[in-house]
């Protein structure tokens, strides 16, 4: 066993040994399928089942998987290999919010690239190797504060604007986890949702994504006055009205509405009037003192729908037998905790502080290419083929990314 492998195995083993009590999920454990991957071993070992949490935590301690998953579904026979024989009973809905799927400018991401042909590497994203010209390059993703903040905002939107507000779910129906690398998983743990099939799950997803609204029906015209959604309306109507009202307070962002310059100037002048009209019951979108055409209303609503829709990985939400990370295990590409976050703590939660394990030890490593990264409130790197001494958890991240080796052999 090489030094890096020993170090990784020890890191995961120690964690699982000390933190058995943190592994509280999944519930109804004997109905779930499990799948694991191991350091430097290809493929996933799946169709595994356990009878108790104790069996699971012992397995984790002695086998030290680097990625640990369980099925969102409940099965009669979870260890059967063939799906028909497993006997599907139901499944939690899991919303996967991933920084990579959000519309953050791509240069805001930290990437490094590596050529699969000649081994050249560098900072940023590169599709073509600058040394040999090959198009076979791989990207390494590095978690960073900025895109994790965006992912958290998105998770809060899903939770607060939709699941809690519109679906009436509360803390005990929801389980929120940092995914361990670049986003969040929201588990919907309410039994009445478990039996929903794909078609019904699609309806929920479409609602969160603001898809398929015939918003023409939200408006009606009486003489010169157009009535529409108001800020006190429930659901999407209220979201659209409040978002429109907010937008009028932040003047510089009005261009998002994709309507004419002249109209935007008029809106700026009359913003307090429009905001008052949106508070009326019924709310007024257009009248003699401020006129909007049907087309202008359409453009406003469409851009506000786009702005407020949730960005969720569809395949995960619709999959009735998805394997998802076990809360409070570790992530095999970072060594970070797949940490359960209480909903009331989400606002202050910083994964690059709180999901990075505290370690006393430091380790001497030889690095590859590593961008600057903010870990535990400290800036680390950038490094380019350097010999450095870093905290153990940082060394684990770098080794798991394939960008560091130990300087000296260890015992
Ligand atoms: Zn190359």
């Amino acid at each position: 066993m090489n030094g890096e492998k020993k170090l990784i195995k020890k890191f995961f083993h120690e964690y699982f040994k000390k933190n058995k009590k943190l592994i509280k999920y999944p519930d109804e454990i004997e109905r779930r399928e499990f799948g694991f991957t191991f350091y430097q071993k290809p493929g996933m070992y799946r169709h595994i089942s356990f009878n108790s949490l104790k069996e699971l935590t012992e397995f984790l301690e002695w086998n030290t998987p680097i990625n640990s998953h369980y099925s969102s579904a409940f099965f009669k026979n979870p260890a059967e290999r063939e799906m028909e024989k497993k006997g599907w009973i139901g499944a939690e809905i899991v919303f996967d919010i991933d920084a990579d799927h959000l519309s953050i400018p791509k240069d805001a991401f930290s990437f490094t690239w590596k050529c699969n042909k000649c081994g050249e590497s560098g900072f940023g994203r590169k599709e073509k190797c600058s040394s040999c010209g090959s198009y076979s390059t791989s990207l390494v993703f590095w978690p960073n504060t900025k895109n994790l903040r965006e992912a958290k905002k998105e998770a809060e939107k899903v939770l607060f604007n939709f699941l809690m507000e519109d679906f009436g779910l509360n803390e005990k129906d929801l389980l929120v986890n940092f995914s361990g690398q670049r986003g969040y998983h929201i588990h919907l743990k309410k039994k009445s949702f478990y039996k929903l099939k794909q078609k019904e799950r699609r309806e929920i997803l479409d609602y969160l994504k603001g898809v398929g609204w015939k918003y023409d029906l939200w408006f009606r015209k009486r003489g010169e006055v157009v009535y529409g959604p108001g800020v006190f309306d429930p659901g999407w109507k209220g979201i659209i009205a409040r978002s429109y009202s907010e937008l009028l307070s932040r003047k510089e962002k009005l261009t998002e509405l994709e309507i004419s310059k002249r109209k935007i100037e008029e809106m700026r002048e009359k913003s307090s009037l429009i905001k008052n009209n949106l508070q009326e019951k019924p709310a007024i979108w257009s009248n003699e003192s401020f006129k909007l055409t049907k087309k202008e209303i359409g453009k406003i609503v469409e851009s506000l729908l786009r702005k407020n829709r949730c960005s969720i990985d569809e395949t995960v939400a619709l999959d009735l037998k998805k394997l998802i990370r076990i809360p409070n295990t570790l992530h095999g590409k970072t060594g970070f905790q797949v940490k359960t976050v209480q909903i009331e703590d989400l606002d202050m939660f910083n994964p690059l502080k709180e999901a990075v394990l505290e370690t006393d030890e430091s380790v001497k490593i030889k690095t590859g290419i590593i961008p600057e990264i903010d870990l535990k409130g400290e800036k680390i790197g950038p490094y380019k083929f350097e010999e450095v001494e870093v905290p153990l958890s940082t060394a684990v991240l770098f080794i798991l990314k394939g960008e560091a080796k130990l300087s000296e052999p260890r015992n």
Side-chain angles (χ1 to χ4, degrees), residues 115 117-120 129 131-134:
C115 175
K117 211 172 156 201
C118 74
E120 181 71 3
C129 173
S131 176
C132 76
S134 163

